[in-house]
């Protein structure tokens, strides 16, 4: 087991961000003030926008120096093309803002940087002040089309008939995503990891209210099935996952474990980090409910900015 407290994170002021310098700064483009503010503050020789096709921007709507994902590519292929096209090499100082990034691409980010030879990368996340529709805010537009294993995060499946599969959902406001995930693993034991404290004080209550709207799909929906980790600390999220999954495995009652991060982006990063540290080549997989479209702007204001150091040389998987 890892001690995830050793990994570095810090909260930054605007002047702190302006004092950092990179060879290249990459940010996922959307209409949020917090995304644009961080992009403007960052100092870099080159700045590039990553444009996700799920936001459905036309060429005329995006800034110059943008790089677009392709709906026909897997997340692995997309990152390989991006790393190649933008010249992301380990000798460069790279800063990446994950605030507006699609979750499946975010899950693949540390793995693909690791495979590209990076040993350490600075990743940033900017808190919202509020969501535009409060507890009714929805991030996806349209139905979930499929629930599938995220490429690169499929574990070694266990076929034991004496154990029960386990599903851990990193839940946020989108109860439709929570419902789709829970229904896809209807026979598994369900746990919900929620952000407490939330990104803002009111957000824990709002997210729990939204999650409750999916309770009919969640097996034994009760307080015992809730796990808690700070919404803006990926390394604490990884620690909570590590402790919980180690605990249920020691009891000898769990077979395959499925992780489904659909909550805050910083927690999604924590799910990925846990998998890369402890889940490779084990009966552990990351699954995701894929929707075709996402809202371009769901938040108001620009809150605290966080920097997470991904110390990729700490990973023990093969490059």
């Amino acid at each position: 087991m890892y001690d995830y407290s050793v990994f570095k994170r810090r909260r930054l002021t605007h002047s702190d961000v302006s004092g950092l310098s990179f060879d290249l700064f990459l940010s996922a483009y959307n209409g949020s003030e917090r995304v644009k503010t961080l992009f403007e503050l960052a100092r870099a020789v080159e700045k590039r926008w990553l444009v996700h096709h799920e936001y459905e921007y036309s060429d005329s709507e995006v800034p110059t120096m943008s790089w677009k994902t392709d709906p026909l590519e897997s997340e692995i292929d997309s990152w390989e093309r991006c790393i190649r096209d933008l010249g992301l090499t380990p000798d460069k100082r790279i800063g990446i803002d994950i605030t507006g990034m699609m979750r499946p691409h975010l899950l693949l980010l540390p793995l693909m940087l690791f495979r590209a030879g990076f040993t350490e990368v600075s990743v940033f996340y900017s808190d919202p002040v509020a969501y535009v529709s409060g507890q009714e805010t929805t991030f996806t537009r349209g139905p979930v089309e499929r629930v599938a294993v995220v490429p690169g995060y499929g574990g070694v499946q266990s076929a034991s008939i004496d154990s029960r599969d386990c599903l851990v959902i990193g839940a946020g406001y989108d109860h439709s995503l929570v419902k789709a995930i829970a229904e896809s693993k209807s026979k598994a034991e369900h746990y919900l990891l929620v952000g407490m404290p939330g990104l803002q004080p009111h957000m824990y209550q709002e997210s729990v209210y939204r999650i409750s709207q999916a309770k009919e799909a969640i097996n034994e929906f009760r307080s015992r099935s809730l796990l808690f980790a700070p919404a803006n600390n990926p390394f604490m999220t990884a620690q909570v996952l590590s402790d919980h999954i180690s605990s249920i495995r020691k009891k000898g009652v769990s077979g395959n474990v499925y992780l489904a991060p659909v909550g805050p982006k910083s927690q999604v990063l924590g799910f990925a980090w846990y998998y890369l540290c402890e889940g490779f080549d084990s009966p552990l997989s990351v699954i995701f409910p894929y929707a075709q479209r996402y809202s371009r702007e769901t938040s108001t204001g620009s809150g605290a900015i966080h920097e997470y150091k991904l110390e990729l040389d700490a990973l023990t998987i093969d490059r």
Side-chain angles (χ1 to χ4, degrees), residues 284-302:
L284 178 70
S285 300
V286 181
I287 59 177
F288 193 80
Y290 287 85
Q292 191 172 41
R293 297 177 294 166
Y294 278 76
S295 299
R296 299 176 179 182
E297 186 173 3
T298 55
S299 64
T300 61
S302 177

Side-chain angles (χ1 to χ4, degrees), residues 175-204:
H175 68 280
S176 62
L177 301 186
V178 174
K179 183 174 184 289
I181 283 288
E183 290 178 343
S184 75
K185 299 296 177 185
S186 60
K187 296 182 180 180
E189 186 170 356
H190 293 170
Y191 294 91
L192 296 169
L193 188 148
V194 296
M196 191 175 77
L199 299 176
Q200 297 295 343
H202 62 280
M203 290 182 177
Y204 167 72

Side-chain angles (χ1 to χ4, degrees), residues 57-127:
Y57 283 110
S58 66
D59 290 342
S60 62
E61 291 179 294
V62 297
T64 57
M65 303 301 289
S66 295
W67 187 94
K68 284 190 171 185
T69 65
D70 187 328
L72 299 180
E73 288 181 325
S74 71
E75 291 82 13
I76 288 179
D77 291 340
S78 183
W79 274 123
E80 287 180 343
R81 183 168 62 90
C82 180
I83 290 170
R84 181 177 63 251
D85 290 351
L86 301 188
L88 303 183
T89 54
D91 59 308
K92 292 183 178 179
R93 293 166 299 158
I94 307 294
I96 301 176
D97 178 20
I98 63 172
T99 307
M101 195 171 288
M102 289 292 114
R103 291 178 181 87
H105 280 81
L106 172 52
L107 286 164
L108 262 295
L109 175 62
L111 175 60
M112 300 310 293
L113 291 173
F114 175 82
R115 289 181 175 175
F118 285 88
T119 57
E120 182 179 285
V121 175
S122 291
V123 170
F124 298 87
Y125 178 77
S126 182
D127 292 342

Side-chain angles (χ1 to χ4, degrees), residues 207-237:
S207 64
V208 170
Y209 165 76
R210 290 297 296 275
I211 293 167
S212 69
Q213 296 183 42
K215 65 181 180 181
E216 292 183 0
I218 299 168
N219 291 334
E220 301 181 39
F221 182 76
R222 60 194 186 282
S223 59
R224 187 179 74 81
S225 63
L226 291 179
L227 307 173
F228 302 98
N232 54 24
N233 189 335
F235 304 126
M236 183 58 71
T237 295

